Each structure stands twice: as structure tokens, then as C-alpha cells.
Amino acid sequence: MNRKKLQKLTETLTKNCKHFDKFEVKCLINLFYTLVGDVTERQGVVIGLDRNAFRNILHVTFGMTDDMIMDRVFRGFDKDNDGCVNVSEWIYGLSLFLRGTLEEKMKYCFEVFDLNGDGFISKEEMFHMLKNSLLKQPSEEDPDEGIKDLVEITLKKMDHDHDGKLSFADYEQAVREETLLLEAFGPCLPDPKSRMEFETQVFKDPNEFNDM
Amino acid sequence: MGVALTRSAQWTAAGRGTRTLETTPLNEAILKEIIMFVESFIYKYPQEAHYVFVDPLEWKTNLNPSAFESGYSVSETTVKSEEVDKNGKPLLFLSVPQIKVRSFGQLARLLLIAKNTKFQEAQACVEANRNPIAKILGLDYDTLTEDSSKVNILDKIIKEDDPEIDMKMKIAMLLKQLDLHLLNHSLKHISLEIRLNPGTVKNDIELLKRFSGKGEHTVLEYIDYTSDYEFSNGCRAPPWRQVHGEICYVLVKPHDVETLCVTCSSEGVFLNGGKTEDEGEINYERKGAVYKDLVTFLKEKSAKFSENMSKQEFAFSEEQQKEKDQPNEEPKKEEAITFRKAVTGSDRSTQEKNQINFGKTRMTKRLEPSLNWKATVDSKERRSLVRDSQEEKHIGRLEKARPSVSPGRAQIVRKSAEKIEEIISESSSESEEDEEPPDHRQEANADLPSEYWQIQKLVKYLKGGNQTATVIALCSMKDFNLAHETCQLAIRDVGGLEVLINLLDTDEVKCKIGSLKILKEISHNPQIRRNIVDLGGLPIMVKILDSPYKTLKCLAAETIANVAKFRRARRAVRSHGGITKLVALLDCGQNSTEPAQSSLYETRDMEVARCGALALWSCSKSYANKEAIRKAGGIPLLARLLKTSHENVLIPVVGTLQECASEESYRAAIKAERIIENLVKNLNSENEQLQEHCAMAIYQCAEDEETRDLVRLHGGLKPLASLLNNTDNKERLAAVTGAIWKCSISKENVTKFREYKAIETLVGLLTDQPEEVLVNVVGALGECCQEYENRVIVRKCGGIQPLVNLLVGINQALLVNVTKAVGACALEPESMTIIDRLDGVRLLWSLLKNPHPDVKASAAWALCPCIQNAKDAGEMVRSFVGGLELVVNLLKSDNKEVLASVCAAITNIAKDQENLAVITDHGVVPLLSKLANTNSDKLRHHLAEAISHCCMWGRNRVAFGEHNAVAPLVRYLKSNDTNVHRATAQALYQLSEDADNCITMHENGAVKLLLDMVGSPDQELQEAAAGCISNIRRLALATEKARYT
């Protein structure tokens, strides 16, 4: 990619992104192209990270392990649903991922947890997301009993309108009362430690990506 | 000493010649106590120290004759003391290596000589003299004290009235006291050691056997010992392993796990290396954690066991109970009660009796392989006794309640350990504000609230869940009413505390936050605080203070603030470096450029500072922590935070300063950091709590004159005076009046207070206030009344009556202040009339009998102006029956302040001739003369005045000379205090009327000293010195004249 194009891309993306400054955007764009690798640009073919590559980044850089959640995070990034994260989705996604306000994060997390995208987190969805969260006790007759109970506990805590499912309003209210509940059904944001590591690595070494 | 020695001390097994004391901590403690007793004996009971033992204490010593110095005649191999008994036999006789000692005085000196080896000497002595009381006092006393038939002894005393019997009796009592003390002491040690023993282990195994076998419903497939042979002490482990406390080895096959080879030892139960196939040898190496008993161990190892166990539990626990209840239930019950009483015992005599009982149980216990089981059983026993009666009714509940019983036992062990630690650490200066609360374990059969079961479930998820489940469980737990004791204790009783503290040690920020949020709430409960400390929570929280997340820091600091309410916790914070880290938290309060990207885990810097200050406030109640805060550079940071306007930050900051200001070093630093200015500023705040702490801090700091001036210069007196008008908040009122009291020590401040009409208000506060307010109010009035105008104000406002009324109180601090205030008022004749009318002088006089020297002294000082200003003072003084004798006898006190004040009172009393005659009859002259050799200028001043006034009667002048008072008086003239000079010169002038005294003075070089005094600007001194010289000179002339005629 030539310099001029890069310049232009950086500028447009910086304009649309509130959490990063120009330098940071540039670093992230550089990182993006490093990650995508040496793909020659062709007409009609979108350059981007596919699901596996992206999941790999989530796993290695941000320490996420839950396959399902990682899938959902990918969908969260991939706004246009074309199966790969392009450069603007990358910047936009990371801006929320790293620096999003509580409101942005709530919206994002809710989308992640709302598996079928119907605007509610249903009991079934919760069960699905929590099913691996408890150590299996061999003594329990029904191994799922604990999970079901956990779902009930969560609903009791968060379902303010008592309709048996979580609307965004329910979720928002609960999170505002107790921020810990933001990632109630699984870690879908980087933990602060890996976030800091990522930022220092990417933003502090501008020269590393200059040879692009 | 006898009972304690025979019963508590742990002797090595008998049968190998002479028995020796084992080197156990208990024995060491007992010996140390004995050494302390003997060493202090000569100081405490000098007369009894000369008492000669009936039989000498004899033992083999390692001491060299050359170690003995003055007071002994030493030869190569023998030493004799120069101190001898009536028959001329030495009280200490050493003929290497045998030593015989026959008095406490010599024993004490011997210990001094022995220096480093005194411990060995004491041990040798105790070992060689198994019945010291019989040797010291004779056989009959030994038995008498044991039977506690004191009547006999009393009879003897009445009949014979022999001084020696009297002395013996006294020593017998002293030894008995020591004995009790030793028993008490050993009790502390014994209660520490509560562990497993063969009996309990055997019971457990037998019961488990009964519920083992094939099939679904048994708890185990089988359980058996590895060895069939049981030693007579109940152990099955080979003797060389018994040494390590191991009791037996068991093979257990649970349903779902393969065979386990388990070691039961007195420390607990653990997995060992297993039985080797070929030789059948057991690998004794420990392979896992130590559990407190077999059932807990198996529950942990086998899920099937714990499941079936919970079904069988009722049957099992019932069996277990019967097992225990059946054999000799009665005596056990008695023991349990005894044990309790001995610990809490209030009544002296019952305590005594129980102690001895306890000693007896200990002795029977010696036969068991492990000494340490009684208390364990007792505590269980107690519980089962309570339960017994209601057992049938509560069958269903019992089974569920079981888990809470076992931690209960551990708890008791822990608590007793804790108590002892506390006793040991008594050296620290601060007082414990929260006494050990009685432990309200949920009684097994009490109705458990539904919260209990819900919390138990949540704790289960905490234990077995991943991060997501844990966070959900934590958030849900937070919704319970954590301020309520039921929930707090439920969390603890289901083992939640351990889990919460473990979570703090993980890397999961969210879990840590959630856990701390809960710990912060439940640590308001004193029991939970102690549990947190016991579980090692403090070091982890201190570590979290280093975390980069401010929310975490805050929560950790707040939790520490709650937990560090008792001494052991405060010490733990300090020893893990917590103080430095907390002080560092104060520092971030100033950084205004906070990073724009506020993450989830950030809070305001001010909040961090607030939490840090809160924790420091709690910690600053320990002296060593105050020091640590200062060393960590806390004072400048606190001073900086004082400038903020956030009330919730200011309160803990001022609170910390207030605690710390009790230290001299802090007061200096507070002055240097210009803290007073801000304290004064915050007095004007709206927040009552803040006002209170500011006033309190000023109260502490105003000990220092410069600080008092600073308070005035920064305009602090006016807000203080105006705060006096609000009397609803008693704590604040106490703090404010305290500050006023200390400030009014400076005269300029008093003037200001008068301007602000504070004195009138103070007088109004003399009634209907709690004691802590009264002490300060009266103290302030006492200072104010040093000035004439204020005395008038107090009288006009009707302050005399309530002041005099307060003279009948019992609070020492209050009495000291009241007497001072009344004394100050008495300086004014009109007030004096009122005091006299209210019989205040009589009340003051009776305070001379108060046991506390400060009160005595203060009362005596107050009497001086009363006697001066009362009309018909002489008659008034005489009207107090026995009053004069009381005053004269106070001259025997050993408190300098009391002596000085009494001398001053005598000076005033002696102004009346008749009274002077009376006190002379009571022997005032020899008593005053005895005091003459003092170095205290204050005492010298008043003593000399008293002597000069007492000279005015009869042959007192001569008597002073006879009692050698003159020569020391002459030396007073070399003092630097002009008051002393004046008083002394006057006294010498009076004394010089007697010729012999003149000679003494002359011999002691008084003339030259007096000649210097003649040149003094003080007229009275001039006159007295000149008069004295003229008397001496006249005598000299007369002698010369006599010689030549």
C-alpha cells in the first residue's frame, strides 16, 4: 500500500474514532496489516482477518478461552457480517475493546450475550453460556442443577421487570448498580492487565512497523 | 508453689532415679515466674525476706565459690554468708557442689549472683526440693494450706500471738498466692494444646467401621487398622513413630476412590506414602494436607463418602454422642463446668477451688498418652449437653447442623490461642477497645434462617465455579443484608471466609473486587475480624494495596480499616509492611491530571486517600504503628490532605492525627507542619464528627504551650467557645471542653475565653453532664480560676455549689480537677465563705484518705487556700475529728507531690498555735525532719516553710536539731531556686534561736551562704538571712564573753 493511501486511510479512520488519536490509529493500522500478512490487494477481495485468525488473536493476546464467547466477540467486531474483520472494523472494534465507555461496553456486551440477537438474553441463552462455569460434582444427581440454579440467581439479581428474561434495560440497570456484572456471562472484554500490555506494546514502539 | 509444682509441672516419667523437669514451654514459664517471684521478694517484702526457713533448701549447684563477693566469707570450696540466724548459723552455705539456703533474701541474692545460669539453678532447686513449702514453713503448714482449713491457722495466731507465727502465716499466704498465680499461668499454656488423642481417633474408626461394608448405603467399603496390636496407651503406631505424635495408621477404601493409607497423629489426619506391597512396611512420609479429623479427611477425599455421610450423619452423630455421654457422664459434666469457671472465674474463692480441681484433672490425665484431649472433649461435651434434652425433637435439624459443629471446635482452639497471645502482648501502650466478644456460634439446634441455606449454596458456587460463576455468586451474596449478624456468621460458618480470602490471592481482578466488597461489609463484626486475621487475610490485603487498580486499593484499605480494630490485627498490618503502603495511598490525593481513559476499576484519587486515611486511623491506635506512620512520612501527607475540603477525607485524616497526637514526636511534627491552622479551620465545619475530631486533636496537641498560642492566633478559641453551646452531642462536647481545658492553661487564652463568655457557659455545664465532659469542664474552670476576675464570675454564676457537690465523686481524674478548681476558688474570701458554708473543706479533707496519690496531693493543695482564707480557720480545722492526725500521717507517703502538698498544708495549719500543739503531739517534728534529705526543690521549699512554722511551739526548735534536720537545711541554700532560699533562710532563722542549732549551722558552713543571701534583692530573704546570722554571731559573742569572764 502506498504512503498516500495510508495517510488518507489514517485520517478518515481517526475522524470516525473518538478514543484513539492519529498516532494510535496509525499504529493499529500497521499492526492490522502485519497481522493480515502479505496479501496483495485485488479488486473485489476484502482484506481482513477471518474468524480463525481473529480468534487466535483474542486467545493469544487477550487470554480469552471460551470458544463460544470468542465467536460472539468476532461477530461483534464484524459489523457487516462478511466473515472477516476489515481495517475499519478493526479500528472501531478495538476502540471500544480497549477504551470504550461504560455505555459502549454495555451495549457491546449485551450484543455478545444476546446469542440469537432478539434483544433479550433468555434463560436458555444464559444456560448455554454458563454451562461450563461450574466444576462438575460427581455426587450431584443432575449435573446441570447447579447451572440452572445459577441462572435463577442471575435472573433474580438482574431481571428487574420479572419477565423471565433480560432486556437491555434490565441489564443496564443491573450493571449500573454493580459494574462487576458487565461481563456477567463470560469474559468478552480484555482483562485490564492484557489490555495494558497490548497498548504498551503497540503504541510505544512506532518504529517497529515502519518498514511496511 | 507446691500445688502448681506437683500438679502442673511436667515431670519426666518416674522410675529412673530422681525425676527431673522436662524442658517444655510450660515448665520454663513456671520456672520463670518462680524466679521473678523470688527476685522481687526482697523489694516487696523486706521483712519476710529475713525469715529463716525451717529446713534449708538444698541442691547441687554449678556455681563457683569465686562468684560470691561481699557479704560472704569465701574459701576455696566453701562459701558462708555473713548473714546468720539466731543460732549463728549462716543462711547460705555452699560446699561444692552442695548448697544450702535458708532465707528468701539469700535465695534472691543467689539468683542475682547466678546471672545467666539462674534458670538452671532454679530448676535444680525445684527438682531437688520437691516440697519447698514444707521445708520453708514446716510440715504442718504444708498440709494446712492444702486443706485450706485456714480456721486452724487463725486459731493458732489468736492463741499464741507469736510474731514468728505471724510471719510464717504471711509467707504461707504469699506462697499460696504464687501458687495460684502459677496455676493460672499454666492454665494459659495448657489451653493452647488441644489436639487429637487415641481415644477420639479410636471412637471415630469404630463408628466408621460400623457403617462400612458392601452396598450402596454404607459410607465406606472398609476401614481397618494396619496393625492389630494396641499399646497400653491406646496407640497402634510403633513407639519410634509415637515420638512424632502419630497414633495409628488406617487403611480406608471409599466407594469411589482407591484404598487410602492414612496416618492419624495428634496434629491431625493426613495421607501417608502407603503400604509397600512386598514388605508390608508403611511409608510414613506425609503426602497431603493435614485435616483435623478422620471424617473431614474422608469427606474431602471421597465425594461418595460425604454424600452417604450426610444421609447417615444423624445416626452417626447420635452414636458418637452416646458414645461420649455414657461413660461417667456426671464427672465429665462437672469437669466441663469447672473448666469454664476456672477460665472466667469471678469469685476469688471459687476460682481458687476450681484451679485446684483443674490441677487434679490434669494429674489424672498424666496417665494418658496425650495430655491434651480434655478441653476438646469438654467443649464438645458442653454442646452435646445442651443438645441432649432437645435431641428427640430436633432429629431432622441435627443432621444439617453437623457441619457447623466441627468448625466450632477448631474455633475454640483458635480463640484460646488468641487470648494468650493477647495477654502476652500486654506491653503495648494502647488499650483494647473491643473486648473479646462471646462467640455466638449458631447453636446446632437453633432455627437456621433461610439465608443460611442460600448463603451455603452461594459459597458452594464460589468454591466450584469459574470466574464467571464466582462473580455472579459474589454479586448475589452482596445482596444479602451483610450488616446483619445472621448473614455475617452464616458466611463464616459455611466456610465462606476461607473462600473469600482465597479469592484475594488469585489474579482475577473482578473476583478480588467482589470478595473485598463482601469482606468490607462483614468485617464490621468483631468475630469476623478475628476470623479474617486467623485465616491470614491481612497479609493478602496488604499485598493488594500495591495493586495498580485504585478500586482494589480502596476496598482493601477500607477492609483493613475495619479489621484493624484490635491489637493483634494492627500488629499484623505493621509487620507485613502495611503502614508504609497505606501512607503511600495518601500520596495520590494530589495528582489532578488523571488519565482520561477511565476504566472500570478506577476511582477518584481522593477516594483512595480517604480509604488510606481510614485504615491508618484504625491502625494508629497502636503505639508502634504511630511510630511507623511517622517514619513512613505520613505526617506531611496528612497535613496536605487537611487542606482539602472533602469532609469524608478530613474525618479520617483528623482522626488519625488525633490518635497520634498523644505522642510527643507527633506534636512537634504537627507544629512544624502547620497543622493547627487547618484543625482550627475545620472546627468551623458543619460536620459534627469532624468538629469533634478536630477538637480532640487540639486537646491532645495543646499540652504544649506554643500550640496553645497557635490555636489562639489562628482564631480557634472563638469556635471552641461557641461549640460549647451545643450540648446534645456528648462526644463532641467532651472533645470541645477538653480542648478548652488544655488551651486555658495559657493565660492569654483565658482572657479570650472570658471575652467570649465561655466561663459562664462552662459553669452551666457543671450539672447533668457525663463524667468525661465534667472532667474537662472542671479542669478548664480550675485553670480559669487562677485569675481573680474569673473567680468572681464563677461565684456570681453560682458555680461554687456544683463544684463542691462534685467533691463526693469517685472518678479520680474528676476529683483531681475538682479539688484544684475548688482550691482556686478558695483564694477569694467571698467564695471561701460559700465553700465553708457548703462544708466543702470537710469534703476536701476527707479526700486526703483517697487511695490515689494524685487526688491526695490535689486535695492537700486545695486545703491551703481554704485554711488561709476561712474565718476562724483554727477552730474549723480542729473541728475535723482526727483530721490533724491524718495530715501528719500523710508525711509518711512516698509520693513527692503528696509530701510537698502536705507540707504546704501543715505550714498553714501551724499558723494556729493550738493546732500546732496538736500536730506536734502527733509527731510532726520527726516526720518533717526525716524528709529533710530530699533533692526535689518543690518539696524543699514547702518543707522548709513547714519547718519554720512548726518552730513556733514549745521545744520544737530543739527537737528539729535533735532529729538532724538542720544540716540538710543548710544545704538547701546551695539550690538554684530562690523560693527554696527564702523558705530555708526563714526556717534557719527560726532554728537559730537554739544554740545547738547555731553550732550545727556554723559547722555546715551556713554563715558564708547566708552572707550571700543578705545581698539578695528579696527583702524577706534578706531579713531572714540577716536575722539568722545575727543569732549565730550573738551566740559566738556570748561564748567568747563567757570564756573571758
Side-chain angles (χ1 to χ4, degrees), chain B residues 197-199 232-235 242 365-373:
Chain B
N197 69 76
S232 59
N233 59 10
C235 296
Q242 284 184 30
K365 258 189 278 165
R366 286 279 324 160
L367 306 172
E368 303 287 337
S370 158
L371 295 166
N372 317 310
W373 58 290

Side-chain angles (χ1 to χ4, degrees), chain B residues 786-800:
Chain B
Q786 303 299 329
E787 283 182 37
Y788 172 74
E789 294 97 319
N790 298 334
R791 290 198 281 272
V792 176
I793 295 175
V794 170
R795 173 166 48 84
K796 285 192 175 150
C797 297
I800 309 268

Side-chain angles (χ1 to χ4, degrees), chain B residues 294-482:
Chain B
L294 200 55
V295 177
T296 339
F297 171 82
L298 287 170
K299 273 191 179 164
E300 207 58 41
K301 293 284 172 205
S302 154
K304 188 81 180 168
F305 175 80
S306 67
E307 185 195 340
N308 283 352
M309 196 61 185
S310 58
K311 289 176 195 154
Q312 301 272 7
E313 190 112 2
F314 161 62
F316 184 76
S317 63
E318 195 187 38
E319 287 282 342
Q320 213 174 25
Q321 237 167 43
K322 274 190 192 148
E323 200 82 7
K324 280 198 204 100
D325 292 348
Q326 272 161 5
N328 56 9
E329 190 178 1
E330 278 312 297
K332 270 197 179 177
K333 194 193 274 182
E334 221 172 65
E335 265 166 19
I337 294 161
T338 321
F339 179 75
R340 271 181 99 166
K341 272 196 194 156
V343 173
T344 57
S346 52
D347 184 301
R348 217 198 134 87
S349 64
T350 51
Q351 189 184 13
E352 202 170 288
K353 207 174 144 207
N354 288 326
Q355 295 289 9
I356 291 163
N357 277 353
F358 186 72
K360 277 181 188 148
T361 56
R362 291 270 324 159
M363 196 165 65
T364 52
K365 258 189 278 165
R366 286 279 324 160
L367 306 172
E368 303 287 337
S370 158
L371 295 166
N372 317 310
W373 58 290
K374 191 95 273 167
T376 325
V377 178
D378 281 349
S379 58
K380 264 189 163 177
E381 193 68 29
R382 226 152 56 215
R383 205 165 273 128
S384 61
L385 280 173
V386 179
R387 217 187 294 156
D388 247 352
S389 56
Q390 293 152 307
E391 197 174 30
E392 263 108 10
K393 289 183 212 158
H394 293 279
I395 285 169
R397 290 207 190 103
L398 252 178
E399 121 187 27
K400 290 174 189 159
R402 168 91 182 146
S404 79
V405 173
S406 4
R409 182 169 56 169
Q411 171 71 10
I412 287 167
V413 179
R414 221 184 288 132
K415 278 187 90 123
S416 58
E418 193 172 283
K419 253 187 195 151
I420 285 151
E421 195 181 340
E422 221 102 299
I423 291 161
I424 292 166
S425 73
E426 214 63 66
S427 60
S428 196
S429 68
E430 84 275 15
S431 65
E432 190 79 337
E433 62 284 331
D434 50 352
E435 279 303 302
E436 184 95 358
D439 195 356
H440 310 292
R441 281 267 155 196
Q442 306 246 319
E443 261 316 317
N445 49 8
D447 275 313
L448 289 171
S450 65
E451 287 100 325
Y452 184 91
W453 306 113
Q454 289 165 8
I455 288 176
Q456 189 177 37
K457 202 169 60 185
L458 288 175
V459 169
K460 200 174 85 190
Y461 296 143
L462 282 186
K463 278 185 192 158
N466 69 0
Q467 187 203 358
T468 311
T470 306
V471 170
I472 292 176
L474 286 172
C475 291
S476 171
M477 194 182 277
K478 231 183 79 207
D479 283 349
F480 285 94
N481 182 3
L482 293 177

Side-chain angles (χ1 to χ4, degrees), chain B residues 920-939:
Chain B
T920 307
D921 286 348
H922 285 308
V924 75
V925 174
L927 284 169
L928 286 175
S929 308
K930 222 172 166 183
L931 298 175
N933 283 309
T934 175
N935 294 323
S936 151
D937 273 342
K938 191 171 188 187
L939 178 53

